[in-house]
């Protein structure tokens, strides 16, 4: 991939950056009344004529359509939707197992159209799906598992697919970002499982040397896990001092920091990835604000994510 191809796309993203909430504006959301929040969102280009969840989906779809329309190679960004792709596989599989009594609530935007996924599941035809979903879909449809077990397996496979897709992009920047996303995704489990059963954690994270050592530390408690992370003092302090929800927000913030650093290269794809991840974080923040009454814990989540 010749990086200069991204010069125009990076410039276009930077010209659009004013549409995103700054850290200060995100914090302000929690101090303003609902009417003021809606007016501010309208000023930023949000559609505000529906429920909060619909507003957030519309905003994410708009952002994804924008970055993929200006990207020289839209396929290079597919890893950014790995979470949505595997979540949709999960909800579609569960809907099939229940006999279709409940319609799936799809994660949007996504790469695989829901109709394609639904038809493939009905016919157990994993070959109709993108290559990164085929193995997971075949296993899910041929050997049904209870929901929690299936979700744990798909979470592991999602991380592997994310790394593979980023590597296929040929961009060192995107591979770096995917590795950070995968590491922080695993860290969420380590930071939230103190005292839980080792086998349960292994089911979520899979075998492997570093996983094994971190799991052994996590089941012994925060202090042992922090000792395991002694080479990463900031992460160790966060795991030791934060509750699981706050630690999750902190991990999300680390991904955003990495994306922001990578976005400074005007000739690479980092700016496009950063714009998408910032939009995704913003829609989550706005949705929480409009659905809740501004509790202290939710405000703290936003502060940590945008820190």
């Amino acid at each position: 991939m010749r990086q200069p191809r991204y010069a125009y796309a990076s410039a276009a993203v930077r010209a659009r950056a004013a549409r995103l909430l700054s850290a200060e504006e995100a914090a302000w959301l929690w101090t303003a009344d609902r009417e003021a929040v809606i007016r501010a969102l309208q000023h930023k280009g949000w559609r505000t004529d529906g429920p909060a969840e619909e507003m957030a989906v519309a905003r994410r779809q708009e952002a994804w359509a924008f970055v993929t329309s200006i990207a020289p190679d839209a396929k290079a960004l597919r890893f950014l939707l790995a979470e949505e792709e595997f979540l949709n596989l999960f909800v579609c599989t569960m809907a099939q197992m229940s006999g279709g009594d409940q319609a799936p609530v799809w994660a949007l935007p996504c790469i695989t159209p829901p109709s394609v996924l639904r038809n493939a599941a009905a016919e157990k035809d994993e070959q109709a799906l993108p290559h990164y979903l085929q193995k997971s879909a075949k296993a899910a449809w041929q050997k049904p598992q209870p929901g929690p077990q299936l979700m744990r397996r798909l979470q592991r496979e999602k991380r592997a697919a994310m790394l593979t897709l980023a590597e296929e992009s040929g961009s060192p920047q995107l591979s770096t970002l995917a590795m950070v996303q995968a590491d922080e995704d695993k860290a969420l489990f380590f930071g939230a499982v103190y005292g839980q059963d080792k086998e349960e954690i292994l089911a979520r994270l899979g075998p492997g040397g570093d996983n094994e050592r971190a799991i052994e530390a996590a089941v012994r408690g925060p202090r042992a896990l922090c000792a395991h992370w002694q080479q990463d003092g900031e992460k160790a302090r966060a795991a030791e001092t934060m509750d699981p929800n706050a630690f999750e927000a902190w991990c999300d913030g680390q991904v955003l920091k990495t994306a922001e650093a990578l976005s400074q290269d005007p000739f690479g794809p980092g700016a496009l990835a950063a714009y998408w991840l910032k939009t995704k974080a913003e829609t989550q923040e706005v949705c929480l604000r409009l659905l809740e009454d501004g509790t202290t814990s939710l405000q703290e989540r936003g502060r940590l994510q945008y820190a």
Side-chain angles (χ1 to χ4, degrees):
M1 177 182 301
R2 292 172 54 249
Q3 284 193 327
R5 293 170 57 201
Y6 279 92
Y8 168 77
S10 296
V13 164
R14 289 185 173 85
R16 198 179 174 95
R19 290 169 59 88
L20 294 170
L21 294 173
S22 66
E24 293 75 18
E25 289 169 330
W28 171 84
L29 294 178
W30 297 96
T31 65
D33 59 42
R34 185 183 180 89
E35 290 72 20
V37 169
I38 293 296
R39 288 195 299 271
L41 294 177
Q42 291 171 340
H43 180 71
K44 291 286 187 178
W46 278 67
R47 288 169 45 189
T48 58
D49 55 350
E53 296 94 333
E54 292 182 9
M55 290 167 50
V57 167
R59 186 70 165 182
R60 290 196 297 272
Q61 289 180 310
E62 176 192 50
W64 185 254
F66 168 66
V67 296
T68 53
S69 70
I70 63 173
D73 180 10
K75 285 186 176 181
L77 303 177
R78 291 179 300 175
F79 78 98
L80 293 169
L81 289 187
E83 181 176 355
E84 286 77 4
E85 289 286 276
F86 279 81
L87 180 57
N88 284 345
L89 175 58
F90 171 77
V91 298
C92 180
T93 301
M94 296 308 297
Q96 287 287 333
M97 290 172 59
S98 68
D101 294 336
Q102 293 183 330
V105 178
W106 304 104
L108 300 172
C110 56
I111 298 169
T112 307
S115 59
V116 172
L117 187 54
R118 186 168 48 240
N119 291 339
E123 299 174 9
K124 291 184 170 53
D125 179 18
E126 72 279 358
Q127 295 298 319
L129 302 178
H131 69 88
Y132 53 84
L133 286 178
Q134 289 179 7
K135 184 177 179 181
S136 299
K138 182 177 181 179
W141 298 339
Q142 291 188 353
K143 298 180 180 179
Q145 294 178 295
Q149 292 181 0
L150 176 61
M151 175 59 83
R152 288 193 290 267
R153 181 168 60 77
L154 291 180
Q155 285 172 331
R156 296 199 309 269
E157 293 168 0
K158 172 202 70 178
R159 288 191 290 271
M162 183 189 305
L163 294 171
T164 299
L165 289 172
E167 185 176 353
E168 288 176 359
S169 75
S171 166
Q173 286 187 353
L174 298 183
S175 291
T176 296
L177 182 57
M179 285 189 287
V180 171
Q181 286 183 288
D183 285 345
E184 297 304 336
D185 191 54
K186 289 195 294 185
L188 295 183
F189 294 111
F190 296 142
V193 296
Y194 304 136
Q196 290 189 16
D197 181 75
K198 178 181 176 181
E199 295 305 316
E200 167 74 8
I201 310 170
L202 269 173
R204 290 176 179 269
L205 297 170
D210 189 60
N211 279 357
E212 295 274 7
R213 290 188 291 273
I215 290 168
E216 290 283 2
V219 297
R220 293 200 302 271
R223 184 161 297 178
L225 182 58
C226 292
H228 173 77
W229 277 336
Q230 60 183 333
Q231 299 303 317
D232 189 341
E234 189 177 7
K235 182 182 288 186
R237 287 191 295 275
E240 186 174 32
T241 59
M242 296 176 185
D243 65 41
N245 289 332
F247 186 65
E248 178 182 1
W250 182 87
C251 288
D252 290 344
Q254 300 312 294
V255 174
L256 290 178
K257 284 182 179 179
T258 300
E260 179 61 27
L262 294 173
S263 74
Q264 301 308 306
D265 178 1
F267 301 112
L272 280 71
Y275 184 86
W276 163 248
L277 290 171
K278 289 176 183 177
T279 299
K280 193 172 179 180
E282 176 181 295
T283 58
Q284 182 182 45
E285 188 81 0
V286 168
C287 208
L288 288 172
R289 170 60 186 90
L290 295 179
L291 291 173
E292 300 291 342
D293 294 325
T295 64
T296 302
S297 63
L298 290 176
Q299 292 184 50
E300 177 68 1
R301 178 188 165 81
R303 184 188 71 78
L304 291 166
Q305 182 169 260
Y306 279 90

